[in-house]
Amino acid sequence: MKVDVLLGLQWGDEGKGKVVDVLTPKYDVVARFQGGPNAGHTLEFEGQKYVLRSIPSGIFQGDKVNIIGNGVVLDPALFKAEAEALEASGHPLKERLHISKKAHLILPTHRILDAAYEAAKGDAKVGTTGKGIGPTYTDKVSRNGVRVGDILHNFEQKYGAAKARHEQILKSLNYEYDLTELEKAWMEGIEYLKQFHFVDSEHEVNNYLKDGKSVLCEGAQGTMLDIDFGSYPFVTSSNTVCAGACTGLGVAPNRIGEVFGIFKAYCTRVGAGPFPTELFDETGDKMCTLGHEFGSVTGRKRRCGWIDLVALKYSVMINGVTKLIMMKSDVLDTFDIIKACVAYKVDGEEIDYFPYDITEGVEPVYAELPGWKTDMTKMQSEDEFPEEFNAYLTFLEEQLGVEIKIVSVGPDRAQTIERYTEE
Ligand code: GDP
Ligand code: IMO
Ligand code: MG
């Protein structure tokens, strides 16, 4: 068997959680492979709304095994709050949520370091989620991290050494902080975590594949936030791209099957950094209002703009996307004109590839298509799609070279339309 990967093609918040939940019945196992509680994946069904941060979005459909892979960074305090809330709402987790021993722990001092580094950057700050993501991955790469498996062995000593090192850095930055409450909640989180199955997830996943079981890997963030290929330095600190599923779960590249690339019918970004198609007018405000574009983790207003096909083409290439999924098309239901960026103008010259740097001097060149001016939120099949909407889909497919297999017309699980396939 192969593993399928679902990941974001833009700057995150494309709707990954919703679609993972929709696709879960087709799989035996759902696994997260990178990121941490910087993610906020929203699911809506049966009148309930859930926001998941570290727990995979396959947790609501039957008794599927869900795995937090080695590439994830885990904050025990936030994990405890998330898991307890889910259990209280009638979704028992302990038997079917497995956590890699190799996943790195976000320490309370990582969160403080995140804030301290952001403060030190001043106007150049990244606008992180403040969850300690960067400092935790930094420690992982510099071989100073503390892992989930360490909880079982010599933990006090490992934690103490890391904390002492962080406190020295904070002192050198003259950063004032109070660790007491954070550390207390974190230690309670560590105790809570001990009730879960700590696993060698690379063995577990490969054994599932050997036994003919199917695995869906759930990405966090988006390709434009990837540490290597995103809009550096305004990115997150992990590989959000398809290759991240290999390193974040121990899956060999030749075991990757379908790559589902997910994007919004327009585009959003939260936090600082370049965004060529960003709108600063009432059209952008309308997208924000109709799309409820406020961060599910930080509550920050998301910046909105037209779809950027130059960036999307790049994402399709880097990830080897085999199937596209378009989200939030309903948000554009009332627009007269839909714009799509098909090229960038840089120094007076038009380019259709994603350049090294998009920080300055990149002007979007737009194609304009007629809006469909139809409420799509109650549609059940693609037979109901208006002509103008089909024209938009065809235009995007031609530009991106990959078929759009799923269209989402609202936040609810039921507002999801699979398109016919000719396979
Ligand atoms: P994720 O991080 O990729 O899982 O996405 P988020 O959950 O952060 O953000 C997506 C937001 O859009 C959530 O509030 C979803 O409930 C909502 N959403 C998902 N699909 C649709 C859709 O098709 N239409 C509308 N209007 N909202 C959607
Ligand atoms: P999901 O999985 C949108 C952004 C932050 C910031 C940058 C770095 O819900 O799509 P970090 O805390 O990771 O060091 O922040 O990345 N960011 C996200 N933006 N969706 C996310 O996750 C994000 N996770 C991080 O706003 O600009
Ligand atoms: Mg999100």
Side-chain angles (χ1 to χ4, degrees):
M1 280 300 265
K2 301 246 178 195
V3 305
D4 293 346
V5 183
L6 183 144
L7 43 78
L9 299 181
Q10 296 165 318
W11 276 284
D13 302 327
E14 295 90 350
K16 299 174 288 292
K18 171 184 161 163
V19 180
V20 167
D21 171 66
V22 167
L23 294 179
T24 295
K26 298 184 180 176
Y27 293 88
D28 298 302
V29 180
V30 176
R32 277 274 304 266
F33 57 89
Q34 47 69 232
N38 49 346
H41 295 177
T42 315
L43 289 75
E44 288 189 37
F45 55 89
E46 294 159 11
Q48 298 292 320
K49 182 171 167 174
Y50 302 90
V51 179
L52 299 174
R53 292 169 155 198
S54 301
I55 295 171
S57 302
I59 210 76
F60 295 105
Q61 299 266 25
D63 54 358
K64 305 296 166 85
V65 171
N66 281 246
I67 297 176
I68 294 179
N70 58 278
V72 172
V73 289
L74 192 68
D75 183 323
L78 296 179
F79 173 80
K80 176 172 180 275
E82 185 179 335
E84 282 184 338
L86 277 185
E87 295 224 311
S89 65
H91 298 95
L93 301 170
K94 290 194 183 109
E95 286 311 312
R96 58 204 180 93
L97 180 62
H98 301 176
I99 304 173
S100 170
K101 288 182 209 155
K102 294 193 170 83
H104 278 245
L105 290 171
I106 301 175
L107 273 47
T109 38
H110 282 134
R111 282 177 73 169
I112 296 169
L113 281 170
D114 195 354
Y117 290 143
E118 282 284 87
K121 284 193 167 191
D123 287 346
K125 72 174 187 214
V126 176
T128 72
T129 58
K131 299 289 177 283
I133 304 297
T136 307
Y137 279 115
T138 302
D139 274 355
K140 173 179 177 174
V141 173
S142 64
R143 297 156 295 187
N144 287 306
V146 184
R147 301 191 289 180
V148 168
D150 293 330
I151 294 174
L152 307 173
H153 190 66
N154 224 0
F155 179 63
E156 298 293 324
Q157 185 263 326
K158 284 173 181 154
Y159 172 71
K163 178 181 157 182
R165 217 168 34 78
H166 295 161
E167 293 201 299
Q168 249 180 8
I169 300 170
L170 289 163
K171 198 170 160 197
S172 74
L173 291 170
N174 282 326
Y175 192 78
E176 297 211 1
Y177 60 95
D178 184 358
L179 203 56
T180 326
E181 286 303 311
L182 271 182
E183 196 174 40
K184 184 170 169 283
W186 193 83
M187 286 300 179
E188 286 167 9
I190 290 287
E191 284 310 308
Y192 180 78
L193 210 52
K194 288 179 183 168
Q195 305 167 63
F196 285 80
H197 292 288
F198 295 171
V199 297
D200 296 307
S201 58
E202 65 278 31
H203 288 302
E204 186 177 357
V205 169
N206 282 288
N207 285 335
Y208 282 131
L209 296 177
K210 220 189 292 166
D211 293 345
K213 297 232 160 56
S214 54
V215 180
L216 177 63
C217 305
E218 172 181 4
Q221 291 80 55
T223 302
M224 289 293 122
L225 289 170
D226 180 85
I227 184 72
D228 282 284
F229 300 106
S231 48
Y232 193 88
F234 299 98
V235 293
T236 191
S237 299
S238 65
N239 277 119
T240 62
V241 296
C242 186
C246 298
T247 56
L249 280 170
V251 169
N254 63 355
R255 303 309 293 260
I256 303 287
E258 299 292 351
V259 181
F260 298 105
I262 179 165
F263 64 98
K264 286 180 190 176
Y266 50 102
C267 193
T268 64
R269 169 162 211 175
V270 60
F275 179 4
T277 60
E278 182 170 11
L279 293 168
F280 301 93
D281 56 9
E282 65 270 22
T283 307
D285 290 343
K286 188 172 166 183
M287 285 173 185
C288 182
T289 307
L290 295 177
H292 304 290
E293 295 295 359
F294 294 90
S296 40
V297 172
T298 58
R300 287 180 294 177
K301 189 173 186 286
R302 295 179 186 142
R303 300 151 65 192
C304 293
W306 295 114
I307 198 163
D308 182 342
L309 295 172
V310 181
L312 267 181
K313 255 188 251 179
Y314 183 72
S315 296
V316 165
M317 174 185 83
I318 296 289
N319 293 300
V321 172
T322 60
K323 291 183 173 167
L324 286 166
I325 300 175
M326 185 164 92
M327 308 301 289
K328 303 191 91 158
S329 31
D330 54 296
V331 174
L332 301 184
D333 278 357
T334 56
F335 285 60
D336 294 322
I337 297 282
I338 311 291
K339 291 191 190 184
C341 168
V342 290
Y344 294 154
K345 208 176 234 179
V346 182
D347 296 331
E349 207 182 302
E350 263 188 40
I351 58 167
D352 65 356
Y353 61 88
F354 195 72
Y356 171 71
D357 189 2
I358 57 163
T359 317
E360 271 176 15
V362 173
E363 197 191 315
V365 178
Y366 288 113
E368 288 191 11
L369 290 94
W372 42 94
K373 309 278 281 178
T374 310
D375 177 0
M376 292 186 61
T377 55
K378 293 187 186 57
M379 290 186 181
Q380 292 291 308
S381 133
E382 70 167 317
D383 297 336
E384 299 170 71
F385 288 172
E387 194 184 313
E388 295 83 355
F389 184 71
N390 278 326
Y392 188 50
L393 291 178
T394 305
F395 175 76
L396 296 180
E397 289 182 332
E398 280 170 6
Q399 289 281 321
L400 299 172
V402 183
E403 286 179 318
I404 300 172
K405 293 292 191 186
I406 296 176
V407 170
S408 176
V409 294
D412 196 274
R413 186 191 268 172
Q415 292 171 297
T416 316
I417 300 173
E418 284 202 50
R419 298 181 76 210
Y420 301 131
T421 67
E422 285 166 13
E423 291 159 22

